């Protein structure tokens, strides 16, 4: 079988990519990012702001059908929307995907569109970070137009960044100076955002962008008077945490889903791997983590002293965990059985029917699939062919 | 015919409600496309070349007239007025809109139908012999077993996210009309030395890019052990099957890589464990199901109307001689209605045609219809006295094509016209071959022949088991058609052999013509079919007909 580079951890791939492309020009970095197997599925994320056209143009020269994600916060200037359409047509981009917040999320959290006045972080979370996070779920990497000169927080920016060990972020323009951007636009006769001429060198959402005076930092017009520098999409020095800037004390916790609802994990004794299961007698309160490729036969005779088994779901499409659960039950395991990882609300009934007691999900999944969606499948005992066929209905 | 009980009814309604909610969550964004994909696939909704496609299950191919009329209604309301019957005994609608799909599903639920598990990496709609319950050579009607498997596999909590799709076929007769050796699991009913009926269990067959003949994993399985044994096979596969490479994920590869002995040992061990979980409730359910499939009350009466039409009307005679099959009751016949009119799209039927077929089934056919994997519609029980009247009505509906089993009764996958994976057109090739032999008026002379066409290596058109198989590929942007010879999907299963270099689009029909003219010259009398002649003579003379230049010693430009 050919070697699949995507099996390497993100950090290793990023280090390798930075070493390999250190001395390349922006265009070359972009071209490689679109084709290097170590990068994977990739999209360009663009605000169609003042300088976005540069990367969009580079992309269109290499591959017009590469996906471009445009985040429409529904707070943008009308000029941005028309400019977006104009640029996409002029460059012949064929896969521009507009990304927006979910209507019910907006209805629930910012019904009047005034959240930005009370809490810009919360507003950006709602309108940018979460929609983008959802859209990026389908990708292994994304391309941004960030540059080192744009601020102290970006001064050490590399071409490739490790985003939370989950994705690669590619910054082909990292080393560009302001003049490079201008030159590129002039040389390639690229259309300008109409607001630039009106005094907005950096353009975001209408309520949060103001003009800057000549000589002022171009980004000074963004979130003027606030301490905010980044909108939550971009993070600080590679150590990435999604969402609002983290408050130290609040480590996001995984959620435990049971028939009763969401709850905190009440198991506090930690977990060991299958190899660490000792003699059954000496560990009455043992909890074991099983990867999805466990051979259940290897656990024969070891199940006695185990209180809790947690089966990993690396992806919702990996259904091995369901058979593992059933098998453990058939082998006589009566303790707590938990599915952990990428399990969807729609799989809750399957998990329960296969023998799991509970499901442990990440904060991200918890946010995206609230309890009502799980509750819809909590009646897992009804409409079940299996219990009829086994006489257990 | 099986009738939904309250449980089935509630189940299907619940699924419609769930899927409607999932569609809404997709539209509002709480499900990403990646997450929605397997959920829509579990409900038969594909994303195709031009639009969504909804694939509706016709379990083991059996329909009543009410269901057929509803399929017509859906074709009119939510599609362009027709439906496409497939080699999986399903019907596909090629143009539904996402927001309409919940309505389509509830219209299906109104007539006890659904689209559950017609796609996705799960156990698919079970297929069976389209002559089940009527064929003269049958040990037992396989459909009650197929229905039991349908209930067991529906929403099976362990098996919704298998490494790859999983297809099961059942036949109740030793003459295999369900191609069981080309399925992930094939079940063939046989008798043991004591005359007891049971199943020969075959595993790991499949066509696609790596065609493989299924291997016998259990030579004789008592009927009562069916579900635990199936569960053992699928759970072993769920853990052992490869998930790193989609092209190596089918159970045929698992069996090939691990060896049938290893797989058998694992399955037998798992079976012992699984069997304890079934306490006989499945058998009680089975006997209820069986009752629902009891043969209709066949009517008794003279068949003179048939005999005189057969003697006096040559058009009727031609149709009767090709489109009727022997029924277990000598006063009856099995009617196959051809959806292969030369020049039309194989397997397509308009809403009006579906209604005519429903009416005919209701009036003359004990209210039963079947969809065959050869993409035709079967009326399994028609008293011979009614055949002339039925034939006249078919003529009026443009459904009287007399070509079952002949050169123009071609299986073709959707190919480039509908399928996003296609590398070549397949429907137009089928149409042109059919039209050409219609002009030549040779179809009856050539006799029984199965031509099967796939538009890409995935082999949905079953070309590997066509007497003549045609595989459309893309060679540097140009369609190129490879021919395989000698395939056979019956109990004498064989995978066709590649004849040689491929043909361009405009060369393929003339090539088939040369091949068949050569057969007419080579055969040992009218009785020897194409397949028999091929088996007797080997590929040599047929290749010579396909590649005359090569024969003359010049290099054939591929
Ligand atoms: S930039 Fe301003 S308006 Fe736009 S999402 Fe952030 S806070 Fe809200
Ligand atoms: S064989 Fe290929 S072209 Fe034909 S339907 Fe299957 S996938 Fe599509």
């Amino acid at each position: 079988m050919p070697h699949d580079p995507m099996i390497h951890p993100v950090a290793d791939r990023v280090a390798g990519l930075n070493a390999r492309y250190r001395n390349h020009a922006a265009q070359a970095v972009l071209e490689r990012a679109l084709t290097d197997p170590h990068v994977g599925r990739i999209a360009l994320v663009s605000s169609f702001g003042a300088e976005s056209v540069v990367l969009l143009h580079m992309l269109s020269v290499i591959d017009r059908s590469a996906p471009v994600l445009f985040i429409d916060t529904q707070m943008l200037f009308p000029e941005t929307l028309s400019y977006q359409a104009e640029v996409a047509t002029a460059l012949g981009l064929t896969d521009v995907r507009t990304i927006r917040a979910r209507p019910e999320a907006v209805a629930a959290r910012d019904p009047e569109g005034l959240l930005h006045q009370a809490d810009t972080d919360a507003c950006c979370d709602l309108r940018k970070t979460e929609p983008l996070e959802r859209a990026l779920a389908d990708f292994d990497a994304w391309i941004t137009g960030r540059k080192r000169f744009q601020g102290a927080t970006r001064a050490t920016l590399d071409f490739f960044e490790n985003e939370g060990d989950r994705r690669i972020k590619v910054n082909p323009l990292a080393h560009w100076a302001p003049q490079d951007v201008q030159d590129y636009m002039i040389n390639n006769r690229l259309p300008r955002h109409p607001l630039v001429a009106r005094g907005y060198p950096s353009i975001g959402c209408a309520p949060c962008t103001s003009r800057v005076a000549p000589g002022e930092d171009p980004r000074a017009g963004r979130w003027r008077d606030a301490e905010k520098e980044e909108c939550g999409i971009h993070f600080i020095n590679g150590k990435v945490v999604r969402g609002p800037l983290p408050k130290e004390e609040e480590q996001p916790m995984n959620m435990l889903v049971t028939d009763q609802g969401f709850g905190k994990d009440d198991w506090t004794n930690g977990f060991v791997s299958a190899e660490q299961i000792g003699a059954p007698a000496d560990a009455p309160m043992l909890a074991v983590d099983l990867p999805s490729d466990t051979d259940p036969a290897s656990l024969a005779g070891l199940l006695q002293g185990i209180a809790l088994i947690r089966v990993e779901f690396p992806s919702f499409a990996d259904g091995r965990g369901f058979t593992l659960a059933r098998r453990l039950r058939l082998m006589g395991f009566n303790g707590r059985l938990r599915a952990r990882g990428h399990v969807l609300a729609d799989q809750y009934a399957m998990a329960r029917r296969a023998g799991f007691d509970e499901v442990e999900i990440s904060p991200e999944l918890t946010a995206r699939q609230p309890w009502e969606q799980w509750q819809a499948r909590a009646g897992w005992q009804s409409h079940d062919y299996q219990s009829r066929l086994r006489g257990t209905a | 015919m099986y009738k939904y009980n309250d449980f089935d009814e509630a189940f299907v309604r619940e699924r419609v409600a769930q899927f409607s909610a999932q569609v809404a969550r997709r539209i509002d964004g709480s499900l990403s496309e990646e997450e929605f994909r397997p959920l829509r696939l579990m409900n038969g909704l594909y994303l195709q070349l031009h639009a969504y496609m909804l694939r509706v299950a016709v379990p083991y191919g059996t329909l009543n007239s009410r269901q057929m009329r509803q399929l017509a209604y859906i074709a009119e309301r939510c599609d362009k007025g027709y439906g496409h019957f497939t080699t999986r005994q399903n019907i596909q609608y090629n143009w539904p809109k996402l927001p309409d799909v919940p309505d389509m599903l509830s219209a299906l639920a109104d007539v006890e139908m659904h689209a559950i598990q017609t796609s996705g990496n799960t156990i698919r709609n079970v297929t069976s012999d389209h002559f089940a319950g009527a064929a003269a050579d049958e040990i037992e009607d396989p459909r009650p077993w197929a229905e039991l498997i349908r209930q067991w596999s529906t929403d099976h909590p362990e098996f919704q996210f298998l490494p790859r799709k999983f297809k099961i076929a059942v036949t109740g007769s030793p003459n295999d009309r369900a191609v069981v050796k080309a399925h992930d699991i094939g079940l063939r009913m046989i008798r043991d030395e004591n005359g007891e009926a049971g199943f020969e269990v075959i595993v790991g067959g499949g066509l696609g890019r790596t065609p493989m003949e299924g291997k016998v994993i259990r030579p004789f399985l008592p009927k009562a052990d069916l579900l635990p044994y199936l569960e053992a096979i699928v759970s072993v596969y769920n853990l052992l099957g490869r998930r790193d490479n989609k092209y190596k994920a089918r159970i045929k590869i698992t069996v090939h890589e691990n060896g049938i002995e290893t797989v058998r040992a694992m399955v037998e061990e798992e079976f012992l464990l699984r069997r304890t979980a079934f306490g006989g409730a499945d058998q009680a359910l089975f006997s209820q199901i069986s009752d629902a499939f009891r043969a209709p009350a066949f009517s008794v009466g003279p068949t003179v109307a048939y005999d005189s039409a057969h003697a006096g009307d040559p058009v009727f005679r031609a149709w009767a001689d090709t489109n009727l099959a022997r029924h277990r009751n000598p006063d009856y016949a099995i009617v196959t209605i051809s959806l292969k009119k030369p020049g039309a799209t194989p397997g397509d039927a308009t809403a009006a045609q579906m209604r005519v077929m429903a009416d005919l089934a209701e009036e003359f056919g004990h209210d039963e219809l079947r969809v065959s994997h050869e993409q035709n519609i079967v009326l399994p029980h028609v008293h011979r006295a009614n055949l002339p009247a039925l034939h006249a009505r078919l003529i009026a509906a443009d459904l009287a094509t007399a070509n079952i089993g002949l050169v123009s009764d071609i299986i073709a996958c959707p190919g480039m016209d509908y399928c996003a994976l296609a590398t070549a057109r397949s429907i137009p090739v089928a149409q042109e071959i059919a039209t050409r032999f219609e002009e030549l008026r040779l179809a009856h002379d050539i006799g029984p022949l199965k031509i099967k066409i796939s538009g890409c290596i995935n082999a949905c058109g079953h070309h590997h088991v066509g007497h003549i198989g045609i595989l459309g590929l893309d060679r540097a942007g140009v369609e190129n058609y490879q021919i395989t010879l000698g395939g056979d999907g019956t109990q004498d299963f064989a995978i066709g052999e590649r004849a040689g270099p491929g043909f361009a689009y405009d060369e393929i029909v003339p090539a088939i013509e040369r091949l068949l003219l050569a057969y007419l010259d080579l055969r040992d009398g009218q009785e020897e079919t194409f397949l028999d002649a091929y088996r007797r003579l080997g590929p040599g003379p047929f290749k010579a007909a396909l590649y005359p230049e090569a024969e003359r010693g010049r290099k054939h430009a591929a």
Side-chain angles (χ1 to χ4, degrees):
Chain A
M1 206 203 94
H3 181 62
D4 179 5
M6 296 302 286
I7 63 173
H8 295 298
V10 175
D12 295 358
R13 286 188 281 129
V14 163
L17 287 162
N18 276 322
R20 197 165 336 141
Y21 298 123
R22 187 174 27 229
N23 298 317
H24 282 67
Q27 181 97 27
V29 169
L30 182 63
E31 188 156 357
R32 296 309 165 86
L34 288 166
T35 51
D36 195 310
H38 288 82
V39 176
R41 298 165 300 171
I42 191 163
L44 171 66
V45 176
S46 181
S47 63
F48 288 79
E51 300 176 348
S52 306
V53 71
V54 169
L55 259 187
L56 290 164
H57 178 260
M58 284 186 186
L59 182 85
S60 73
V61 171
I62 299 165
D63 180 4
R64 290 168 179 221
S65 67
V68 174
L69 309 182
F70 167 56
I71 308 166
D72 177 7
T73 61
Q74 295 166 293
M75 289 279 161
L76 298 174
F77 291 97
E79 286 85 341
T80 302
L81 298 178
S82 52
Y83 179 64
Q84 187 271 319
E86 181 195 337
V87 169
T89 315
L91 299 182
L93 299 169
T94 60
D95 190 8
V96 179
R97 307 179 192 176
T98 301
I99 289 165
R100 293 195 185 96
R102 290 161 32 207
E104 343 71 69
V106 174
R109 286 149 60 187
D110 190 13
E112 295 152 320
L114 296 175
L115 182 60
H116 63 92
Q117 295 183 8
D119 185 346
T120 49
D121 285 347
C123 178
C124 285
D125 277 350
L126 169 69
R127 296 176 180 277
K128 291 182 183 169
T129 315
E130 293 170 14
L132 181 67
E133 179 64 27
R134 258 199 319 274
L136 285 177
D138 294 342
F139 295 96
D140 305 307
W142 55 304
I143 302 162
T144 84
R146 294 179 311 144
K147 304 162 200 81
R148 287 185 170 184
F149 75 78
Q150 280 171 332
T153 51
R154 295 181 178 178
T156 55
L157 201 63
D158 270 319
F159 283 140
F160 297 90
E161 283 179 287
N162 172 358
E163 192 186 340
D165 289 331
R166 290 184 309 151
R167 260 191 299 269
I168 296 179
K169 194 144 114 178
V170 189
N171 313 302
L173 305 182
H175 300 274
W176 278 30
Q179 198 52 46
D180 296 329
V181 178
Q182 295 310 316
D183 290 348
Y184 189 93
M185 289 202 274
I186 293 164
N187 292 338
N188 292 288
R189 293 185 200 84
L190 299 179
R192 301 298 182 105
H193 195 298
L195 291 181
V196 173
R198 288 161 37 197
Y200 296 85
S202 175
I203 298 152
C205 295
C208 302
T209 309
S210 59
R211 279 174 230 241
V212 298
E216 217 182 348
D217 179 335
R219 285 180 70 83
R222 305 287 294 277
W223 301 287
R224 199 180 271 280
D225 307 326
E227 279 177 341
K228 193 171 167 69
E229 266 191 273
E230 297 278 9
C231 65
I233 300 177
H234 304 305
F235 300 96
I236 297 157
N237 68 33
K239 294 210 184 54
V240 179
V241 188
R242 273 271 140 212
L245 295 177
K247 301 184 186 57
E248 284 299 320
E249 64 278 20
E250 263 183 45
Q251 273 296 332
M253 293 271 287
N254 280 355
M255 194 59 86
L256 212 54
V257 190
T258 64
D259 293 355
Q260 279 69 49
F262 281 173
K264 285 217 173 81
D265 190 356
D266 56 342
W267 181 263
T268 48
N269 295 354
F271 290 83
V272 301
S273 71
E275 295 79 53
Q276 293 168 292
I277 308 176
D282 65 83
M285 287 298 284
L286 199 61
V288 181
D289 263 331
L290 292 184
S292 63
D293 60 358
T294 305
D295 174 4
S298 67
L299 299 169
L302 297 174
L303 297 172
Q304 278 317 310
I306 301 177
L308 194 167
I309 294 181
R310 187 161 73 164
V311 177
E312 186 69 29
F313 279 73
S315 144
F316 69 90
D318 181 347
R320 285 178 287 193
F322 297 114
T323 284
L324 276 177
R326 168 96 339 253
R327 227 345 181 66
L328 289 168
R329 291 305 190 199
L330 287 170
M331 288 164 73
F333 178 66
N334 291 321
R336 242 166 114 176
L337 197 50
R338 177 186 298 181
R340 177 175 89 145
H342 195 183
V343 179
L344 305 184
D346 307 271
Q347 293 175 311
Y348 185 69
M350 292 167 213
R352 293 290 279 123
R353 289 169 181 171
F356 286 109
D357 298 304
E358 58 203 25
V359 176
E360 181 184 333
I361 52 171
S362 69
E364 184 269 329
L365 212 53
T366 314
R368 205 147 46 85
Q369 306 205 338
W371 164 243
E372 304 80 69
Q373 299 186 0
W374 295 81
Q375 197 176 22
R377 299 312 315 272
W380 55 275
Q381 274 148 318
S382 48
H383 307 297
D384 179 20
Y385 275 108
Q386 297 313 314
S387 48
R388 282 163 64 80
L389 289 163
R390 282 157 228 258
T392 54
Chain B
M1 229 183 97
Y2 185 70
K3 203 83 205 66
Y4 273 14
N5 52 38
D6 294 348
F7 178 88
D8 298 307
E9 167 81 20
F11 178 90
V12 170
R13 295 287 175 195
E14 162 80 11
R15 266 304 269 269
V16 173
Q18 268 171 33
F19 189 60
S20 308
Q22 287 160 349
V23 167
R25 283 163 60 211
R26 173 65 196 122
I27 292 171
D28 78 25
S30 28
L31 284 171
S32 69
E33 177 54 30
E34 189 190 9
E35 291 170 340
F36 179 59
R37 195 169 160 271
L39 303 174
R40 70 168 158 72
L41 288 179
M42 275 194 290
N43 289 286
L45 189 63
Y46 281 78
L47 201 52
Q48 276 201 328
L49 202 52
H50 310 292
Y52 281 107
M53 179 270 276
L54 183 71
R55 182 181 287 164
V56 176
V58 181
Y60 33 91
T62 299
L63 289 169
N64 61 28
S65 58
R66 192 164 149 250
Q67 293 172 323
M68 186 63 115
R69 283 192 196 104
Q70 190 79 334
L71 294 179
Y73 164 78
I74 294 172
E76 259 161 13
R77 258 224 51 217
C78 307
D79 201 313
K80 297 186 172 176
Y82 59 90
H84 178 74
F85 291 95
T86 78
T87 57
R88 296 272 313 141
Q89 299 182 303
N90 293 319
I91 180 168
Q92 291 178 183
Y93 295 107
N94 286 312
W95 308 95
K97 294 186 203 63
L98 184 57
D100 281 347
V101 172
D103 285 348
M104 295 171 82
L105 295 180
S106 71
L108 289 170
D110 291 344
V111 294
E112 307 184 0
M113 292 183 75
H114 58 71
I116 297 168
Q117 289 175 219
T118 53
S119 51
N121 292 336
T122 180
I123 299 175
R124 300 290 187 86
N125 182 31
V126 185
T127 52
S128 185
D129 180 357
H130 44 272
F131 289 171
D137 57 3
E138 189 168 87
I139 297 177
E140 225 180 76
D141 188 340
R143 291 173 303 155
W145 295 106
E147 172 61 25
L148 186 71
I149 296 170
R150 182 190 75 84
Q151 298 192 13
W152 162 80
S153 62
T154 298
D155 224 11
H156 195 296
E158 279 180 62
F159 305 145
Q160 298 303 306
F161 293 87
L162 294 170
R164 204 71 177 88
K165 59 188 169 185
F166 202 93
K167 299 177 182 174
I168 302 177
V170 203
T171 172
S173 115
N175 293 311
D176 179 9
R177 282 173 293 264
V179 205
V180 298
K181 284 191 173 162
H183 285 76
D184 297 283
I185 294 179
L187 298 167
R188 197 163 72 100
M189 193 162 284
I190 52 169
R191 290 190 190 283
D192 69 1
E193 56 277 17
N194 307 319
E196 206 45 54
F199 292 105
E200 178 185 61
V201 185
I202 295 159
V203 72
L207 300 175
R209 55 186 69 218
T210 328
M212 287 197 192
E213 176 175 356
K215 299 177 182 64
V216 175
I217 185 162
R218 181 63 109 83
F220 185 84
L221 182 74
K223 292 189 290 187
D225 287 335
L226 182 65
L227 293 187
Y229 201 81
L230 292 179
E231 200 163 284
I233 297 177
V234 186
S235 63
V236 163
Y237 164 63
N238 193 23
L239 295 184
L240 192 62
R242 286 178 60 171
R243 289 174 186 267
D244 60 333
N245 181 340
K246 162 175 169 190
Y247 300 121
K248 306 231 152 134
R250 293 290 288 267
I251 195 175
K252 62 186 174 187
I253 307 290
T254 315
V255 170
H256 181 73
E257 289 183 348
N258 294 279
I260 183 74
E261 291 75 23
T262 310
V263 174
R264 181 182 296 124
M266 293 175 78
V267 167
E268 292 291 339
E269 193 182 324
E270 186 80 26
F271 168 61
L272 297 177
L273 212 52
R274 297 277 169 172
R275 193 159 55 167
T276 58
F278 287 87
D282 57 326
Q283 292 309 303
L285 206 59
F286 175 77
S287 75
Q288 286 173 27
I289 295 172
S290 273
D291 288 345
F293 285 96
R294 265 202 305 261
F298 294 124
S299 42
V300 220
T303 59
V304 280
Y306 169 80
D307 299 327
S308 59
H310 194 265
D313 176 352
V315 178
F316 177 77
R317 182 166 56 243
W319 175 80
D321 289 349
T322 43
N323 290 35
L324 299 184
R326 213 155 70 84
H327 194 279
R328 63 172 61 149
N329 179 330
D331 291 348
Y332 271 69
I334 303 172
V335 175
T336 303
I337 301 172
S338 171
L339 298 183
K340 311 284 182 62
K341 186 180 163 161
T345 300
D348 269 8
T350 64
Q353 289 177 325
M354 290 185 219
R355 290 207 176 91
V356 169
M357 294 189 284
D359 292 347
L360 293 175
E362 195 171 22
E363 283 173 56
F364 302 122
H366 297 274
D367 207 28
E368 261 198 68
L369 302 113
R370 306 284 172 75
V371 182
S372 80
H373 74 89
E374 295 180 318
Q375 302 178 283
N376 294 311
I377 299 295
V378 173
L379 303 180
H381 314 292
V382 182
H383 193 279
R384 287 181 182 268
N386 293 323
L387 288 169
L390 183 141
H391 180 242
R393 300 263 291 274
L394 289 175
I395 292 178
D398 204 13
L399 284 169
T401 309
N403 66 348
I404 296 305
L406 302 181
V407 57
S408 55
D409 185 8
I410 297 173
I411 292 187
C413 79
M416 197 83 104
D417 295 277
Y418 296 101
C419 178
L421 303 172
T423 42
R425 287 170 287 178
S426 48
I427 291 172
V429 174
Q431 291 170 333
E432 283 172 34
I433 293 175
T435 314
R436 179 66 188 141
F437 283 90
E438 179 82 353
E439 286 161 14
L440 295 173
R441 309 223 153 272
L442 279 177
H444 287 271
D445 200 12
I446 292 168
L449 179 69
K450 292 192 192 300
I451 298 184
K452 301 185 195 246
I453 309 177
S454 303
C456 83
I457 196 153
N458 289 322
C460 302
H462 301 175
H463 66 275
H464 299 292
V465 294
H467 303 168
I468 299 175
I470 301 178
L471 166 62
L473 295 171
D474 172 302
R475 173 170 289 194
V478 181
E479 284 160 310
N480 187 274
Y481 293 87
Q482 287 185 353
I483 293 183
T484 51
L485 296 172
D488 183 0
T490 70
Q491 61 285 354
D492 303 317
F493 192 89
I495 286 168
E497 280 175 72
R498 221 187 114 191
F503 294 89
Y505 182 81
D506 54 3
E507 293 170 355
I508 182 70
V509 179
I512 300 294
E513 189 177 326
R514 288 199 298 281
L515 186 65
L516 290 176
L517 293 177
Y519 151 69
L520 291 177
D521 283 345
L522 292 162
R523 72 178 169 188
D524 189 9
Q526 267 247 269
E527 291 308 300
E528 194 180 48
T529 64
F530 176 85
L531 187 61
D532 290 339
Y534 180 82
R535 285 184 174 159
R536 177 173 59 87
L537 296 165
F542 297 94
K543 284 189 187 174
L546 280 175
Y547 305 105
E549 296 90 345
E551 215 25 35
R552 272 181 253 118
R554 274 197 277 128
K555 193 178 175 298
H556 180 85

Short mmCIF file of all heavy atoms in Angstrom, two decimals, chain B residues 413-415 419 421-422 454-456 458-460, ligand 2:
data_model
loop_
_atom_site.label_atom_id
_atom_site.label_comp_id
_atom_site.label_asym_id
_atom_site.label_seq_id
_atom_site.Cartn_x
_atom_site.Cartn_y
_atom_site.Cartn_z
N CYS B 413 -25.78 0.31 -16.67
CA CYS B 413 -25.80 1.20 -15.52
C CYS B 413 -26.09 2.61 -16.03
O CYS B 413 -26.05 2.85 -17.22
CB CYS B 413 -24.47 1.15 -14.80
SG CYS B 413 -23.23 2.15 -15.62
N PRO B 414 -26.35 3.56 -15.14
CA PRO B 414 -26.66 4.92 -15.61
C PRO B 414 -25.51 5.58 -16.38
O PRO B 414 -25.76 6.40 -17.27
CB PRO B 414 -26.94 5.68 -14.32
CG PRO B 414 -27.30 4.65 -13.31
CD PRO B 414 -26.53 3.43 -13.69
N GLY B 415 -24.29 5.25 -16.02
CA GLY B 415 -23.15 5.79 -16.75
C GLY B 415 -23.08 7.30 -16.75
O GLY B 415 -23.65 7.97 -15.90
N CYS B 419 -24.32 9.41 -13.63
CA CYS B 419 -23.49 9.01 -12.50
C CYS B 419 -22.22 9.83 -12.43
O CYS B 419 -21.51 9.99 -13.42
CB CYS B 419 -23.15 7.53 -12.64
SG CYS B 419 -22.09 6.99 -11.33
N LEU B 421 -19.51 9.12 -11.03
CA LEU B 421 -18.28 8.34 -11.07
C LEU B 421 -17.95 7.83 -12.46
O LEU B 421 -16.88 7.30 -12.71
CB LEU B 421 -18.40 7.14 -10.13
CG LEU B 421 -18.73 7.48 -8.68
CD1 LEU B 421 -19.02 6.22 -7.89
CD2 LEU B 421 -17.60 8.26 -8.05
N ALA B 422 -18.88 7.98 -13.37
CA ALA B 422 -18.75 7.34 -14.67
C ALA B 422 -17.53 7.84 -15.43
O ALA B 422 -17.13 8.99 -15.32
CB ALA B 422 -20.00 7.60 -15.50
N SER B 454 -21.25 -1.48 -18.12
CA SER B 454 -20.96 -0.59 -17.00
C SER B 454 -20.23 0.64 -17.51
O SER B 454 -19.37 0.53 -18.39
CB SER B 454 -20.06 -1.26 -15.96
OG SER B 454 -20.64 -2.46 -15.49
N GLY B 455 -20.53 1.78 -16.89
CA GLY B 455 -19.91 3.03 -17.31
C GLY B 455 -18.62 3.35 -16.57
O GLY B 455 -18.02 4.40 -16.80
N CYS B 456 -18.20 2.47 -15.69
CA CYS B 456 -16.89 2.62 -15.06
C CYS B 456 -16.56 1.32 -14.35
O CYS B 456 -17.38 0.41 -14.27
CB CYS B 456 -16.83 3.81 -14.09
SG CYS B 456 -17.44 3.45 -12.45
N ASN B 458 -16.56 0.42 -11.48
CA ASN B 458 -17.37 -0.04 -10.35
C ASN B 458 -18.38 -1.11 -10.71
O ASN B 458 -18.96 -1.75 -9.83
CB ASN B 458 -18.08 1.13 -9.69
CG ASN B 458 -17.10 2.00 -8.94
OD1 ASN B 458 -16.16 1.48 -8.33
ND2 ASN B 458 -17.26 3.29 -9.01
N ALA B 459 -18.61 -1.28 -11.99
CA ALA B 459 -19.33 -2.47 -12.47
C ALA B 459 -20.77 -2.60 -12.01
O ALA B 459 -21.26 -3.71 -11.82
CB ALA B 459 -18.53 -3.73 -12.10
N CYS B 460 -21.48 -1.48 -11.86
CA CYS B 460 -22.89 -1.57 -11.48
C CYS B 460 -23.71 -2.26 -12.56
O CYS B 460 -24.79 -2.76 -12.31
CB CYS B 460 -23.47 -0.19 -11.21
SG CYS B 460 -22.58 0.68 -9.93
S1 LIG C 2 -20.67 1.37 -13.00
FE1 LIG C 2 -19.71 3.31 -12.63
S2 LIG C 2 -20.76 4.64 -14.05
FE2 LIG C 2 -22.03 2.90 -13.83
S3 LIG C 2 -23.44 3.43 -12.21
FE3 LIG C 2 -21.76 2.31 -11.30
S4 LIG C 2 -20.40 3.87 -10.61
FE4 LIG C 2 -21.76 4.85 -12.07
#
